[in-house]
Amino acid sequence: MIPDIGQGGCAALEDSVVLARCLAKALSEKSSKESKENNKREMDENKRIEMGLKKYAKERKWESIEFISTAYIAGFIQQSNDKIMAFLRDKILATFLAGLQLKKADFDCGKHRIS
């Protein structure tokens, strides 16, 4: 993620909370078939970890895409020498990005529940 909207560190913290929740939920679930063999238990645990990682990816995918595309567009506009882009940057972009960043700051890791 490029640093044009300053959200990389915040996104990493959000990712860590969501990832920990997904893995904890996956690992705390009881196996459908209690196995007494270690090999089968390990395979079952690996499957649960895989499912937890898939839930994490599903939950965070669109949030990440939004971060990356917003940062790319903001960087493109900020680095443009075109007069129209300069006008947009100076008059409109600051207000738009401020609102967008405030929206991102309202993310509550506790409200997003994995089902």
Side-chain angles (χ1 to χ4, degrees), residues 64-84:
S64 299
I65 289 171
E66 189 176 336
F67 275 134
I68 293 165
S69 55
T70 301
Y72 177 81
I73 291 168
F76 178 78
I77 292 172
Q78 289 173 0
Q79 296 173 16
S80 178
N81 292 326
D82 184 62
K83 289 183 183 192
I84 294 172

Side-chain angles (χ1 to χ4, degrees), residues 46-69:
N46 289 342
K47 283 286 189 195
R48 288 187 282 158
I49 290 171
E50 182 180 343
M51 294 308 296
L53 291 173
K54 285 180 181 180
K55 284 183 181 183
Y56 160 76
K58 182 179 179 184
E59 182 172 335
R60 293 298 291 167
K61 177 172 60 173
W62 292 111
E63 189 82 19
S64 299
I65 289 171
E66 189 176 336
F67 275 134
I68 293 165
S69 55

